[in-house]
Amino acid sequence: MKKNTDKTIIALIIFVSAVLIIGISVFLFQKDCPECYTGWQILGMQGINFWWSAIFFTGLAAGFTYFVVKTVLDAGGVGVSLKWVIPIVVFISIAFGKACTDKANNGVTSEKFKPTGPVDDGRESAEDQLKKAK
């Protein structure tokens, strides 16, 4: 029974790793449209507020994980040490979660966004259009 479980876990790790590698490479190197940004460009647009919160919450997750793992080990353990895995996953989740949102918004919601195309000065607010319609 143990050998089948080990093979299943190894297959699961390989599958999850492949999905992560494909997902991260698509995010970092591909554009959603010709004038859109890549993930690398979006990460470069992030400001100090983004990186500070990502590092702060990673540290918070590391501290929380340390106490959870210590409690679990004192109680008999689960056989797997997660004290380094969880903070890394939290950091990646924060960084790529925010960056994916910014990439989907074509960088507009990033801190250092600078428009590269022409600005439409002829746009009117809905309120102004309603006033004209009356």
Side-chain angles (χ1 to χ4, degrees):
M1 181 73 178
K2 178 129 173 75
K3 289 193 185 239
N4 287 340
T5 304
D6 289 346
K7 288 179 184 179
T8 303
I9 295 298
I10 290 170
L12 182 63
I13 290 170
I14 290 170
F15 174 74
V16 170
S17 298
V19 169
L20 283 173
I21 289 168
I22 291 168
I24 290 171
S25 66
V26 166
F27 168 76
L28 289 176
F29 304 114
Q30 292 186 5
K31 295 182 176 187
D32 296 335
C33 61
E35 44 298 317
C36 293
Y37 297 100
T38 65
W40 276 119
Q41 292 169 316
I42 294 295
L43 287 172
M45 288 181 200
Q46 301 305 321
I48 191 70
N49 295 327
F50 166 78
W51 292 110
W52 170 249
S53 64
I55 291 168
F56 172 75
F57 287 114
T58 300
L60 195 65
F64 175 73
T65 305
Y66 171 78
F67 288 110
V68 168
V69 169
K70 186 172 176 4
T71 304
V72 169
L73 290 176
D74 290 345
V78 293
V80 178
S81 176
L82 302 176
K83 61 184 167 189
W84 295 110
V85 174
I86 293 177
I88 291 168
V89 170
V90 169
F91 177 76
I92 291 171
S93 299
I94 293 169
F96 284 99
K98 172 72 168 91
C100 284
T101 300
D102 291 343
K103 184 177 178 183
N105 294 330
N106 202 23
V108 173
T109 53
S110 63
E111 195 172 338
K112 297 179 183 176
F113 174 74
K114 292 181 182 96
T116 55
V119 176
D120 184 4
D121 291 335
R123 296 181 71 179
E124 291 183 273
S125 67
E127 292 83 6
D128 291 342
Q129 290 179 6
L130 286 173
K131 289 176 188 174
K132 286 183 181 179
K134 288 183 180 180

